[in-house]
Amino acid sequence: MTAKLDYTWNLREIMAARGMFNTTDIRPHLAERGITLSPTQIWRLVTEKPERLSLKVLVALMDILDCRMDELIVPTATTRRAKAVGGNADPGSEPNSGLGGLRPKRARVTDS
């Protein structure tokens, strides 16, 4: 079995717990710390899981929200079975399957 590393990004939840419900609420706090991000960058930072993150931004977020890194970023690991020779170990491991064996049936529209 192999481990696939991933993480949960909890910025939006922590902001909400601190009374910040709009993505723009954090912008002035970042600016106070010398970090200038566009509204689009801030929206992505809050609503999506970042693939890359500046350490300065991370430290600023921890300072603004008075939280620890392990509250903001929670590492997760999932185990996957290695591919068997001539087939897939997981029923959902086929490319673009996403649902494994649970595929919706195509609807047939007929005239009544």
Side-chain angles (χ1 to χ4, degrees):
M1 290 197 183
T2 60
K4 180 183 177 194
L5 299 177
D6 202 3
Y7 62 95
T8 304
W9 179 242
N10 294 321
L11 178 58
R12 187 172 203 121
E13 291 82 3
I14 294 173
M15 284 177 59
R18 307 295 192 275
M20 296 182 192
F21 298 101
N22 295 314
T23 59
T24 55
D25 291 344
I26 203 153
R27 189 173 191 192
H29 299 287
L30 289 168
E32 288 172 5
R33 288 156 179 85
I35 297 171
T36 306
L37 297 175
S38 72
T40 302
Q41 289 172 315
I42 291 174
W43 183 82
R44 286 182 184 154
L45 183 67
V46 173
T47 62
E48 298 175 5
K49 184 166 63 169
E51 292 296 320
R52 286 175 265 119
L53 183 63
S54 161
L55 288 178
K56 287 184 179 184
V57 172
L58 178 61
V59 171
L61 290 172
M62 292 187 312
D63 183 46
I64 293 164
L65 300 169
D66 190 31
C67 67
R68 297 183 324 268
M69 187 171 59
D70 63 341
E71 294 172 296
L72 200 54
I73 304 168
V74 179
T76 58
T78 57
T79 56
R80 299 188 78 148
R81 295 181 189 185
K83 276 189 179 180
V85 175
N88 293 322
D90 295 327
S93 64
E94 298 168 9
N96 301 323
S97 69
L99 298 173
L102 303 174
R103 303 294 301 168
K105 301 264 188 222
R106 182 177 293 264
R108 290 179 55 167
V109 179
T110 59
D111 292 335
S112 303

